[in-house]
Every structure is written in structure tokens, then in C-alpha cells.
Amino acid sequence: MAENKGLHVVVFPWSAFGHLIPHFQLSIALAKAGVHVSFISTPKNLQRLPPIPPSLSSFITPVPIPLPKLPGDPLPEGAEATVDIPFEKIPFLKVALDLAEPPFRKFIADHPHPPDWFIVDFNVSWISDISREFRVPIVFFRVLSPGFLAFYAHVLGARLPLSEIGSLISPPPIEGSTVAYRRHEAVGIRAGFFEKNDSGMSDYERVTKIISACQAIAVRTCYEFDVDYLKLYSNYCGKKVIPLGLLPPEKPPKTEFEANSPWKSTFEWLDQQNPKSVVFVGFGSECKLTKDQIHEIARGVELSELPFLWALRKPDWAEDSDVLPAGFPDRTAGRGMVSMGWAPQMEILGHPAIGGSFFHGGWGSAIEALEFGNCLILLPFIVDQPLNARLLVEKGVAVEVERNEDDGCFSGEAIAKALREAMVSGEGEKIRKRAEEVAAIFGDTKLHQRYIEEFVEFLKNRDPIPNQ
């Protein structure tokens, strides 16, 4: 592996695993290209990341910065990421990470090899002062889909009134675009993104500060999947935009589970199913579903009469006996399986029996599913998920579950309809075919490696930061 003249970057993601994992995947890709990476996060978050491949251990250095304690201890003991806390506590996590500026500054000042670049997320709005002090340029890494980015770039670039819901329910000026929020979604988004929260700053302010300070914006997408939204985003944001490719996770080798592992029997069951016949159901750990929502999802899965494998994280509200509706395991026995807790998701998605993925529409999860040519059934809930869902439906690889337009409620019948349309209906044949075609893009490691190589060339040829 050739080193890139000792090129050193410092990577600092937001403490949500939908951000930590893409930043880690980018770090792996950069290390493979010979770039030295200092990866900043809290001790617990670093422990929860995948192991660094031994061949790259000399290129990636995890740098733990303890999460500062806040007055009154508003965060639960041991909470260091959004997965550890309820949604309403997230602003306090932002406050705690704002207080990480002094140890971050000390790390930069004391490092024997000062970084050539900062690659950061939206949360480190204080990075501009350190960038000027140490003359280190910034790349703002956006882990979000091009549809989401173009939508917000249009809203802000066109100076649409942020106080009006109409600005958030209108798609950007791309022919045929449906990438916009529904009215019931827009109400929460306006408050959650544009209004000041308990951190003392809105997310909109944080993002605009980073954009103002950065030399370039890196985006997790590729022109082979999308051109229009990426171009629109580039036109509006006023900074150099660099597609990084999709950073697809490496496809895992076939895993041999030990005899006492519950996953051994699960994969034996999958081995007995017909190719592309099983729906994988997985809403992850960040999407904190209510009891009514989980029960309605279960009813829809049951009504669909399709084979399924559901990886279900036990919710905080749940007792062992009431996570699923009464009798659900018995009524679906033989046709489906439910696994509580952690799941080997990439191994599941890559199994020949899996034909579709039913989830919330997160961009990272979509990339993982499409890497294996699985069609998507989407039930979005928060932030970027609704816009991702509309983008993926536009691209012909997904079906979105219908909801009540006024309040966002969904029914088991609507879920069953979407599942059957995507998986077995004649109408859904074009979706299944398109998903398999897209897999040739999402799973093309050489294609995405070329994007990384171009990004490394950009990093090597940086413009100097002027003296202040």
C-alpha cells in the first residue's frame, strides 16, 4: 500500500450511528488509499464501531475524547450516542459535544504530525476557529442522500420562507420530482431543524456555519445513480461538491455460526426458502417505535402472508411478553421468524432467499439493501427518511407505505399492500427488476474506489489557508 506523502486527516462525526458508520467507512477507504486517519469520537462509541482491519491498523488511529458532563446530568449515565437516549434528549448530546472543543484543540496542538484536513459533520460548528488557528482546511461530509441535500439547498438557496409549511411540501425544480415532505411531516421538521433547541442553536445554524467555513462538501452518492439532484445541490450550495461514491460495506464471507447460536437455525430456515421470497424487516435502533407502531407493523407483516425475517430491537417501553401482538409468533410460525436484539444484517441481506427490505428509509440502510439487489418497502419516520423514500420511489426501486395525509397514521392493511406490491405483484415486477439493475452500481467496488481516488487527489492538492 503506497502512502500518500504522509497525508493526515482528522475525522469527527456526529454521535449517531447513521453518521458514525459512514465516517468510519470513509476512513477505511482513505486508509486503503494510504491516507492516515485520526478518528475522533467518545470512548464508548469507538468501542462499538466495527474492528479496524489489521492491515490498516497503522493508518487509522482511534482518538477517544470523553463526553463532557453537563450541569444537572440531563443525559443518562453511559449515554454517548443518540441510540442511548430518547429523541427529546438529543439537544443535550449536542451541548456535550460542543464542550469537547478544548480537548479537540489540545489534540491538534499536541499532535506531532498536524493534520492536512478536517473531515467533519454538522455538529462541530466551532471547528472554524480551530481551522483558522492551525490553518487546516475543512471538508464537510454529508452522509445524507442527494435528494435530501438538493431539497434543503433549494429551500434555502431560493430563500423560501422557512416559517411557512408550503416551503417544505414543495419539491425542488427537477422535472417529475416528488422529493418533499408531507404536511404532517413538515410541521415537525420546521420545529426540529429550523428552530433553536436546548443546545442553544438550531441544526440549520450549525449546518450553515460548517458550510461557510469549509473548502468543500463531500457527499455519499455517485453520478451513476443520480445526476439531477447532485447537480442541483452543487448549484445552490456555493462550495465545491465532491461525490465520494456510495461507500458500500464490504460483502461478508459466508458465516459459519456455532451450534448454540440462535442465528444458526435462522440461516438454516433461510436456506429452505425460495430465492428472493423473504422480506427482511428491520427498523434499527435509532428509530424508536411506539407499541402501537410495532403492533401495526406486525399486523401488516401478518396480513401480507409473505415469508419474513424480522430483526427487532427490544424497545425501552417493552416487557418481554408485550413487544409483539398476542399470538403473533404462533400465527406466523413456519412462515416467518423474529429475532430480538443484534442481527448480522449484511449476512442476512446477502442471503439468496432475501428479496426485499422493509425499513425506515435511512440512506445507509438503503445502500446496504440495494447492494444486494433487494427491492425496498419504506415506512419513513424522521428527518431525512421521508425525502429518501420519495427519491427511492422515483428511482424505481421502492414502494412507500401509504399514510393518512393529515396525521401520518398508517395501517396494517397499507403495509400488507405495499409488501405484496413490491414482492409478488405483477405491478411490482419492474421494481424488482430495477433493484437488481441498480445492484450493479451499488455493489461495484471498483467504481466507488475510483471516486475515493479522485477525492484523495483533491486532498493532496489543497489550496493553502491564508494567514489571518
Side-chain angles (χ1 to χ4, degrees), residues 38 78 186 225 271 314 383 395 437:
S38 295
F225 178 67
D271 290 340
K314 183 181 176 182
V383 193
K395 296 296 184 181
E437 292 171 352

Side-chain angles (χ1 to χ4, degrees), residues 138-285:
I138 301 167
V139 170
F140 184 12
F141 179 25
R142 308 304 315 267
V143 302
L144 304 160
S145 76
F148 176 91
L149 297 174
F151 174 83
Y152 275 101
H154 168 62
V155 169
L156 301 174
R159 301 185 183 278
L160 301 181
L162 303 180
S163 61
E164 296 182 9
I165 292 296
S167 300
L168 299 176
I169 62 175
S170 303
I174 292 174
E175 185 177 355
S177 176
T178 59
V179 175
Y181 290 106
R182 309 283 191 254
R183 186 168 294 276
H184 65 86
E185 297 162 341
V187 174
I189 286 295
R190 182 178 60 182
F193 185 70
F194 294 107
E195 294 179 6
K196 186 177 295 187
N197 54 50
D198 287 331
S199 73
M201 187 184 303
S202 70
D203 287 351
Y204 163 66
E205 290 176 283
R206 290 178 182 275
V207 168
T208 52
K209 279 191 172 187
I210 298 288
I211 291 176
S212 176
C214 75
Q215 278 62 47
I217 300 172
V219 184
R220 190 184 187 186
T221 190
C222 65
Y223 287 114
E224 289 73 13
F225 178 67
D226 170 75
V227 174
D228 294 336
Y229 288 99
L230 185 54
K231 282 187 174 179
L232 183 68
Y233 180 62
S234 300
N235 291 340
Y236 271 120
C237 73
K239 291 292 175 85
K240 182 177 180 63
V241 174
I242 305 171
L244 296 178
L246 293 163
L247 299 172
E250 290 188 9
K251 294 181 179 179
K254 184 175 175 59
T255 304
E256 295 295 334
F257 294 97
E258 296 185 9
N260 61 351
S261 168
W263 286 104
K264 183 174 178 61
S265 59
T266 300
F267 276 84
E268 287 174 349
W269 176 82
L270 279 175
D271 290 340
Q272 297 168 9
Q273 308 307 308
N274 292 327
K276 293 289 185 181
S277 66
V278 179
V279 179
F280 174 62
V281 183
F283 285 81
S285 53

Side-chain angles (χ1 to χ4, degrees), residues 76 82-87 285 288-289 294 313-319 322-323:
T82 55
V83 68
D84 304 321
I85 55 179
F87 192 78
S285 53
K288 297 174 173 64
L289 302 176
I294 288 180
R313 302 288 182 98
K314 183 181 176 182
D316 294 337
W317 50 259
E319 300 293 338
D322 70 350
V323 179

